[in-house]
Amino acid sequence: MIHYHGLPITPETAAAQVLQAGHGFVSFAEPRNLGLAASVCQSFAVDNGAFTAWKQGRPVADWRGFYDWAADAKKIPSCDFAVIPDVIEGGEADNDALLNEWPLGRFFGAPVWHMHESLQRLERLASDWPRVCIGSSGEFATVGNALWWGRIGKAMSVVCDEQGRPGVKLHGLRMLNPLVFKHLPFASADSTNIGRNIGIDQAWRGSYSPPTKEARAVVMRARIESQNAPTRWICAPAEPAIEQGTLL
């Protein structure tokens, strides 16, 4: 599984520690680490920034700027894929319209299936696209709780065969928590865990706490990347839980 670390990470020296020979996830909403990612990553992917815009109360209506930006990123050899624009909390027709508008090809673009959408749409996306992103939304917005695991289990039954093997590459949006991805047959996942946590001083206590943000970044990257996704879906954890203090 590819562990994509969400950007930006401040300071850039800490970002360099996370990205060196690793994998980055650059958002159109916060693109300032793109040059660094292109320089030092094994690979990186680009996100449309719709979630950030939605959280800020400024949903995007015109995606031409993102299309141009993603087209430039596509020319960088280490750029893997782009998340196709989506309407957070929108209807299936809204999101299908954006898929029809996507100008950069099926092998570079990855559509988002929002967990509040129908399983029929997930099945259709999995049959039409080589990679599908899964986004937590609606009543399933909290990654890792019991309701969320019940829904992801139904999703796995749609995209996996009788042996639990997915028929499409799956990317977990905001799911780069080992307590989550170690149970799911993901090809990749992302989150901004490192960028959000290295600056929270009260979360790093004790005599042996890393003294700098750069050192904290190294510790978090090693901890996240020490675990991998399984090759097939078996079942949800018996006691779903999200680790205290971990931001998804």
Side-chain angles (χ1 to χ4, degrees):
M1 188 191 93
I2 297 176
H3 306 73
Y4 287 106
H5 298 290
L7 301 168
I9 294 174
T10 303
E12 193 165 88
T13 50
Q17 293 286 345
V18 174
L19 299 179
Q20 185 66 49
H23 307 276
F25 204 65
V26 185
S27 173
F28 181 56
E30 292 282 357
R32 62 181 180 270
N33 285 154
L34 176 60
L36 180 65
S39 299
V40 306
C41 281
Q42 287 190 47
S43 71
F44 68 95
V46 294
D47 180 45
N48 58 55
F51 183 77
T52 299
W54 173 75
K55 290 285 285 185
Q56 295 174 347
R58 298 183 289 103
V60 179
D62 184 350
W63 288 102
R64 286 176 293 182
F66 172 70
Y67 296 151
D68 291 342
W69 181 77
D72 287 339
K74 184 180 180 182
K75 298 173 184 176
I76 301 172
S78 55
C79 186
D80 288 336
F81 71 93
V83 180
I84 295 174
D86 58 318
V87 183
I88 309 298
E89 302 286 359
E92 296 185 11
D94 299 322
N95 287 299
D96 284 344
L98 287 171
L99 297 188
N100 294 331
E101 184 179 290
W102 176 245
L104 299 177
R106 289 179 179 269
F107 286 95
F108 182 63
V112 179
W113 176 71
H114 304 88
M115 291 177 65
H116 73 278
E117 295 175 337
S118 70
L119 295 172
Q120 290 75 19
R121 183 171 192 263
L122 173 60
E123 184 175 27
R124 174 162 50 84
L125 294 177
S127 65
D128 290 346
W129 297 81
R131 185 189 310 265
V132 175
C133 301
I134 298 178
S136 305
S137 59
E139 64 267 44
F140 312 106
T142 302
V143 178
N145 67 15
L147 186 64
W148 186 92
W149 277 111
R151 185 61 171 173
I152 206 75
K154 292 179 180 178
M156 291 300 107
S157 69
V158 169
V159 297
C160 297
D161 64 16
E162 64 279 359
Q163 297 182 47
R165 300 172 300 188
V168 63
K169 289 187 181 297
L170 299 172
H171 177 87
L173 295 167
R174 299 190 302 120
M175 298 180 196
L176 197 60
N177 183 329
L179 293 175
V180 173
F181 70 70
K182 70 180 181 180
H183 298 287
L184 296 162
F186 284 162
S188 57
D190 76 87
S191 82
T192 56
N193 281 353
I194 295 178
R196 288 175 178 270
N197 282 289
I198 60 172
I200 303 176
D201 292 339
Q202 61 268 29
W204 300 85
R205 297 176 178 173
S207 301
Y208 298 99
S209 295
T212 65
K213 290 181 180 180
E214 291 80 4
R216 293 172 182 177
V218 170
V219 169
M220 289 195 69
R221 175 183 172 181
R223 181 169 172 272
I224 291 169
E225 295 184 6
S226 68
Q227 299 195 52
N228 203 5
T231 58
R232 61 188 68 200
W233 165 254
I234 298 175
C235 63
E239 295 183 5
I242 288 298
E243 186 173 3
Q244 293 299 313
T246 299
L247 300 175
L248 291 168

